[in-house]
Amino acid sequence: AVLEFLAARMAKDKIPGLQIAVVQDGRIILNEALGLANLEHGIKVTPETRFSINSATKSFAGVAVMQLVEAGVLALDAPIGTYLPDLPPAWAAIPLHQLLSHQSGLPDMVDDEGVIGASEAEAWAAVMAKPLEAPVGSRFAYNQTNYALLGRIIAARAGMGFAAHFQQRQFGPAGMARTLLGD
């Protein structure tokens, strides 16, 4: 019944492929790979297929920030300019916790077409030239700029790159040997 439900849902929502595992009382009772991992080449999903988790990585970034807070390297109420001196003045005073909660008022570096600018440097220049979209802390507005800045802060304060910090401080200790950050 579960596989039939999934197949119907995949067809309805145009989901090309997926993996599902159900664990009950510490035992895997269902482990299936359905559909295609690559439409262009007709490559099927297998139990070894890796999937991008996209914005779910924000949870890992939040953990990384809190690990650095616990280590005394970051402070949630500190202005982000404390950690990134190259920010526009309007951005520099934003408290770190406002990035975590998407209440910074910052403009989004991603629009309907994707990341603005042809390169990372161009994207940062373009978004930093924009005014704040709202007063800091006045409203929730999900955007990529908040967590892109957190990534830069993590890299600057952890003494290693963002991806290395995730590997050493989260994926490794959790036994997530096949998990990695894509580019």
Side-chain angles (χ1 to χ4, degrees):
V2 171
L3 296 180
E4 291 83 16
F5 169 80
L6 289 173
R9 192 61 190 241
M10 289 171 69
K12 178 181 179 275
D13 293 338
K14 297 182 172 94
I15 299 169
L18 60 82
Q19 296 168 337
I20 182 171
V22 177
V23 179
Q24 184 177 39
D25 297 324
R27 289 186 6 252
I28 296 174
I29 61 170
L30 176 68
N31 185 11
E32 293 289 334
L34 305 171
L36 297 175
N38 183 299
L39 297 174
E40 180 181 0
H41 300 290
I43 299 170
K44 291 186 176 191
V45 175
T46 71
E48 289 75 37
T49 301
R50 292 182 181 184
F51 285 90
S52 173
I53 59 172
N54 299 325
S55 285
T57 59
K58 289 177 176 66
S59 300
F60 293 99
V63 168
V65 167
M66 295 312 296
Q67 287 172 325
L68 294 170
V69 168
E70 287 178 347
V73 176
L74 295 177
L76 291 174
D77 291 328
I80 61 174
T82 303
Y83 309 117
L84 299 174
D86 61 338
L87 297 176
W91 294 28
I94 296 170
L96 181 68
H97 69 87
Q98 299 292 9
L99 298 180
L100 287 164
S101 64
H102 291 287
Q103 294 182 324
S104 65
L106 291 172
D108 199 347
M109 64 189 326
V110 175
D111 62 19
D112 292 339
E113 304 297 316
V115 176
I116 57 176
S119 68
E120 184 177 353
E122 284 182 22
W124 281 115
V127 76
M128 285 184 184
K130 293 182 175 190
L132 291 178
E133 292 182 352
V136 177
S138 67
R139 68 177 170 99
F140 172 86
Y142 181 89
N143 81 48
Q144 303 304 320
T145 306
N146 293 310
Y147 276 75
L149 285 169
L150 287 171
R152 290 179 58 196
I153 291 168
I154 292 165
R157 301 303 286 196
M160 65 184 81
F162 182 77
H165 187 269
F166 277 31
Q167 289 297 138
Q168 290 181 21
R169 298 289 314 275
Q170 293 183 50
F171 303 155
M176 298 168 65
R178 292 182 35 84
T179 305
L180 51 87
L181 292 179
D183 186 349

